[in-house]
């Protein structure tokens, strides 16, 4: 009987693997998600069967209550969340996963009170607590930053790296005390050590994420995503449960890959993102200061005329599009342009927005064909043959300084070469620098025009002009 | 826990990481957000651990912690899979 349960767990793991495999193609992605969900269902079912029929101990009323409450919250949240708020939601879910892992590990400690842990047991508990807690509090901060509850700018102070190191050592020390304590029977003192160690890790998670700027959030979210998987895996080690370890490892790997892709797209190392405090006025002040000269501004009427005479158009969306909820307005613009027989494509930089793939989801929500969405490598050679580029709410990812100015802090970052197009329209509320806080020479170029307006309002006005004209 | 077993589990962990790397590198940028939320839902597998920590209905500390973990993990699982489905539904070819 026991072996049957293990077998079902294995089947679940296979469903997870195929689920992720199918997620790699738009056509099969939905099926992939369902495969994974079915794998989860099997795991839960197997666990309940095991508890009821093999171990003969199951707190079924508590379990039903927990599933109903959690399921209800999950249902409501998943139905009501706005697509523009996906980064916030994923941040919260990362934290929730980390939190659940810690609670399970702590519950395991409490349920073994009075018994002896061996070294492996206690080390896995310590790991699980450390990773889970950091994931939890780090995600809460990431969420608050995305939501604007706390400042998006990096908050760095002197000695902050030193303080983090002290906190890490402190946390490890108390967890170590918990480990040695629980070897001689888990008593209140050993539990207290684990809790203090966890408490310090909670503060550490907060301080690790606060110094990271808003534009670096795609990296942070990917990394925390990875941590939430590793936390689940660590808890799997605690319980000796293979399906937890395997699934956690899959998620951990997924997060790491995305983190790598995001770092590469910004030409920065992970260490630099995590500890650099990049994107704030602190270090780059001198380079940033330069005033803009010879900037030309424009309005809806003029843009509509230019658009009308262009044959090929590329739209470059950025975080400003999400903030202004302009995806539906963009869709109307695309419809209007295609009616006039123009070729419209989208150029999407990997770090446009606040999480990997953020722009793609928003444009999909507005019913824009995903075939029109091109990534960096696919489209960069096309700008020079393009009549008009419409940059909406993006800044650093189109900054030519990344190519031309070796002194620029973003030098070397792969950018969309919009400056090669015949005409560039930049929709932006003001000339304020982007999150990297550096001047964008694109705005001063002869072929570049500024349209100072909210992304949504600007696009709607252009559509209106196009319809009337 | 037996060191033999832990070594066996660790082997599975490492192999799964490699499988994960192989699978995820093939996911196109368009699907990165659904991938993340889907992966998120999968990390809700800790629900299995939460369930196993609720062997009876007594209000012991262990059970209360297990119950809290169960709520969080269920939010993760249900919310994660449903919101991923909601997103993927929107990716249509016209």
């Amino acid at each position: 009987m026991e072996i049957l349960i293990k077998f079902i767990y294995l089947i679940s793991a296979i469903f997870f693997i195929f689920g992720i495999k199918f997620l790699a193609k738009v056509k099969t992605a939905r099926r992939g998600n369902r495969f994974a969900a079915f794998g989860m269902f099997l795991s839960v079912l197997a666990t309940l069967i095991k508890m009821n029929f093999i171990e003969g101990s199951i707190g079924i009323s508590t379990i039903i209550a927990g599933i109903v409450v959690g399921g209800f919250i999950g249902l409501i949240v998943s139905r009501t969340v706005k697509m523009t708020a996906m980064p916030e939601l994923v941040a919260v879910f990362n934290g929730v996963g980390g939190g659940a892992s810690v609670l399970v590990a702590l519950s395991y400690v409490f349920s073994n009170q009075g018994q002896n842990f061996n070294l492996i047991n206690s080390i896995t508990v310590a790991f699980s607590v450390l990773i889970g807690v950091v994931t939890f509090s780090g995600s809460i901060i990431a969420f608050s930053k995305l939501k604007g509850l706390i400042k998006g700018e990096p908050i760095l102070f002197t000695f902050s790296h030193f303080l983090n190191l002290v906190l890490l050592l402190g946390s490890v020390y108390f967890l170590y005390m918990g480990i040695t304590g629980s070897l001689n029977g888990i008593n209140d003192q050993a539990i207290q050590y684990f809790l203090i160690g966890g408490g310090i890790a909670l503060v550490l998670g907060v301080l690790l994420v606060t110094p990271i700027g808003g534009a670096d959030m795609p990296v942070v979210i990917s990394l925390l995503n990875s941590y939430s998987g590793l936390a689940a895996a660590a808890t799997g080690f605690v319980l000796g449960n293979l399906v937890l370890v395997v699934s956690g490892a899959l998620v951990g790997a997924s997060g790491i890959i995305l983190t790598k892709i995001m770092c590469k797209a910004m030409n920065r190392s992970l260490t630099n993102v995590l500890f650099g405090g990049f994107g704030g006025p602190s270090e780059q002040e001198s380079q940033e200061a330069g005033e803009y000269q010879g900037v030309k501004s424009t309005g809806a009427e003029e843009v509509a005329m230019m658009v009308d005479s262009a044959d090929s158009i590329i739209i470059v969306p950025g975080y400003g599009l999400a903030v202004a909820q302009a995806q539906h307005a963009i869709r109307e613009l695309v419809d209007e342009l295609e009616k006039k027989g123009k070729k419209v494509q989208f150029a999407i930089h990997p770090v446009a927005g606040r999480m990997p793939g953020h722009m793609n989801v928003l444009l999909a929500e507005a019913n824009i064909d995903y075939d029109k969405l091109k990534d960096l490598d696919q489209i960069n050679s096309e700008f020079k043959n393009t009549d008009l580029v419409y940059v909406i709410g993006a800044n650093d990812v189109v900054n030519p300084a990344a190519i031309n100015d070796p002194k620029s802090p973003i030098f070397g970052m792969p950018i969309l070469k919009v400056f090669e197009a015949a005409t560039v329209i930049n929709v932006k509320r003001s000339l304020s620098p982007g999150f990297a806080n550096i001047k964008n020479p694109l705005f001063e170029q002869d072929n570049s025009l500024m349209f100072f307006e909210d992304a949504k309002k600007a696009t709607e006005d252009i559509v209106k002009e196009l319809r009337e004209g | 826990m037996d060191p033999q077993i832990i070594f066996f589990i660790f082997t599975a962990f490492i192999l799964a990481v490699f499988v994960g790397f192989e699978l995820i590198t093939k996911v196109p940028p368009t699907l990165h957000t659904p991938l993340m939320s889907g992966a998120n839902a999968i990390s809700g597998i800790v629900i299995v651990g939460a369930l196993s920590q609720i062997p009876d209905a007594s209000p012991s500390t262990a059970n209360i912690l297990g119950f809290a973990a169960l709520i969080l993990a269920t939010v993760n699982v249900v919310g994660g899979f449903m919101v991923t489905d909601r997103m993927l539904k929107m990716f249509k070819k016209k």
Side-chain angles (χ1 to χ4, degrees):
Chain A
M1 193 67 178
E2 186 88 29
I3 200 80
L4 178 72
I5 301 298
K6 292 216 160 98
F7 188 69
I8 302 179
Y9 280 154
L10 175 64
I11 303 277
S12 321
I14 292 174
F15 269 98
F16 291 144
I17 290 172
F18 271 98
I20 297 178
K21 189 176 155 62
F22 286 144
L23 265 174
K25 283 208 180 77
V26 178
K27 249 189 230 158
T28 54
R30 226 178 147 194
R31 193 190 331 155
N33 186 51
R34 286 186 181 153
F35 262 55
F38 183 70
M40 189 64 69
F41 172 75
L42 278 185
S43 292
V44 169
L45 197 67
T47 309
L48 293 176
I49 291 174
K50 180 174 147 201
M51 292 171 76
N52 196 28
F53 296 107
I54 300 177
E55 290 159 0
S57 61
I58 180 166
I60 194 68
S61 52
T62 315
I63 286 175
I64 291 175
I67 289 181
V68 168
V69 173
F72 183 72
I73 299 173
L75 188 80
I76 298 295
V77 170
S78 66
R79 281 289 164 90
T80 52
V81 65
K82 278 199 178 136
M83 284 301 143
T84 42
M86 277 313 296
E88 285 95 314
L89 185 73
V90 169
V92 169
F93 279 174
N94 284 339
V96 165
S101 303
V102 182
L103 291 173
V104 172
L106 288 179
S107 166
Y108 180 75
V109 172
F110 275 98
S111 62
N112 282 287
Q113 245 165 327
Q115 293 177 31
N116 286 2
F117 268 0
N118 65 24
L119 191 61
I120 293 169
N121 271 121
S122 37
I123 290 178
T124 54
V125 166
F127 253 107
S128 179
V129 170
L130 185 63
I131 303 175
V133 166
V134 169
T135 311
F136 176 74
S137 60
S139 298
I140 300 302
I141 298 301
F143 167 78
S144 315
K145 286 205 166 210
L146 289 163
K147 189 96 184 151
L149 298 176
I150 54 176
K151 272 202 303 180
E153 291 103 69
I155 305 162
L156 255 186
F157 49 92
T158 349
F159 300 130
S160 69
H161 297 329
F162 178 70
L163 179 62
N164 286 343
L165 185 66
V166 170
L167 286 173
L168 178 65
L169 292 178
S171 174
V172 169
Y173 172 75
F174 279 103
L175 291 173
Y176 169 76
M177 295 297 283
I179 291 171
T180 47
S182 54
L183 292 178
N184 309 313
I186 300 171
N187 51 21
D188 286 350
Q189 205 187 7
I191 290 179
Q192 263 171 25
Y193 283 135
F194 277 127
L195 292 179
I196 297 174
I200 298 176
L202 202 67
V203 182
L204 179 64
V206 171
L207 292 183
L208 280 177
V209 179
T210 30
I212 300 174
D216 289 342
M217 278 302 145
V219 178
V220 178
I221 295 190
S222 309
L223 194 64
L224 289 169
N225 195 234
S226 173
Y227 285 179
S228 77
L230 294 178
T235 305
F237 277 104
V238 171
L239 304 175
N241 187 319
L242 210 55
V243 73
L244 243 79
V245 172
V246 169
S247 330
L250 290 173
V251 178
S254 151
I256 293 285
I257 298 261
L258 291 174
T259 309
K260 241 177 80 184
I261 295 175
M262 294 299 114
C263 282
K264 200 176 146 222
M266 296 196 291
N267 190 37
R268 316 227 330 259
S269 68
L270 184 57
T271 334
N272 183 271
V273 174
L274 295 183
F275 304 112
F278 193 83
S282 45
E283 306 161 52
Q284 275 86 26
E285 199 103 58
S286 51
Q287 279 136 330
E288 168 256 322
E291 290 285 309
Y292 282 97
Q293 278 163 0
V295 171
K296 298 183 290 284
S297 77
T298 183
E301 201 178 341
E302 200 186 348
V303 174
M305 269 159 54
M306 283 187 285
V307 167
D308 222 2
S309 57
D311 291 321
S312 52
I313 295 157
I314 295 178
I315 302 174
V316 180
Y319 183 55
L321 174 132
V323 174
Q325 306 262 359
Q327 66 270 37
H328 299 286
I330 283 286
R331 154 83 204 212
E332 286 184 26
L333 178 65
V334 173
D335 283 352
E336 210 56 42
L337 295 175
E338 290 190 329
K339 232 187 276 170
K340 293 175 188 276
K342 298 179 194 308
K343 186 185 181 201
V344 186
Q345 300 182 90
F346 286 83
I348 301 186
H349 194 278
V351 293
R354 284 293 179 268
M355 75 181 291
H358 192 189
M359 291 298 124
N360 306 71
V361 167
L362 293 186
L363 295 173
E365 185 196 12
N367 258 326
I368 290 166
D369 188 346
Y370 63 81
D371 272 353
K372 290 198 185 72
L373 315 184
K374 308 284 192 244
D375 56 36
L376 201 70
D377 302 332
Q378 292 170 313
I379 201 139
N380 243 350
S381 57
E382 291 194 32
F383 284 109
K384 52 179 176 289
N385 303 320
T386 298
D387 298 328
L388 187 131
V389 174
Y390 187 65
V391 180
I392 177 160
N395 186 356
D396 298 328
V397 298
V398 294
N399 191 338
I403 298 177
N404 309 327
D405 180 6
K407 277 183 300 198
S408 169
I410 59 164
F411 183 71
M413 168 173 157
I415 59 152
L416 293 163
K417 297 178 181 167
V418 301
F419 59 89
E420 292 181 341
T423 311
V424 183
I425 313 285
N426 301 285
V427 180
K428 223 171 158 306
R429 274 182 295 196
S430 70
L431 274 177
S432 70
F435 278 90
N437 211 35
I438 34 180
K439 185 177 162 178
N440 191 344
L442 172 71
F443 304 154
E444 292 175 335
Q445 271 185 214
D446 283 342
N447 62 343
S448 174
L449 293 165
M450 302 300 298
F451 186 172
F452 294 112
E453 185 57 274
D454 166 82
K456 186 177 175 189
K457 177 85 169 39
T459 309
E460 283 171 350
D461 287 351
I462 296 170
V463 171
K464 211 186 291 166
E465 291 289 339
L466 282 172
R467 283 186 183 150
E468 284 165 7
Chain B
M1 207 183 302
D2 187 351
Q4 288 272 313
I5 295 179
I6 221 63
F7 188 75
F8 167 70
I9 296 181
F10 191 69
T11 308
F13 173 78
I14 296 294
L15 293 178
V17 168
F18 279 104
V19 171
F21 281 163
E22 279 304 307
L23 292 173
I24 309 300
T25 14
K26 296 197 176 76
V27 178
T30 297
L31 289 172
H32 278 167
T33 296
L35 170 71
M36 281 189 97
S37 66
N40 227 315
I42 294 177
S43 72
I45 186 68
V46 76
I47 190 173
V48 165
L51 290 171
S52 66
Q53 286 309 117
I54 311 176
D56 54 59
S58 74
S60 65
T61 315
N63 278 358
I64 292 170
L65 290 171
F67 179 65
L70 179 60
I71 292 180
L72 292 185
T74 314
V75 170
N76 215 333
V77 168
V78 175
F81 282 124
M82 289 194 57
V83 86
T84 308
D85 188 65
R86 203 181 125 201
M87 265 188 275
L88 291 173
K89 217 164 42 187
M90 302 180 318
F91 282 90
K92 272 174 298 197
K93 209 179 162 122
K94 256 107 342 195

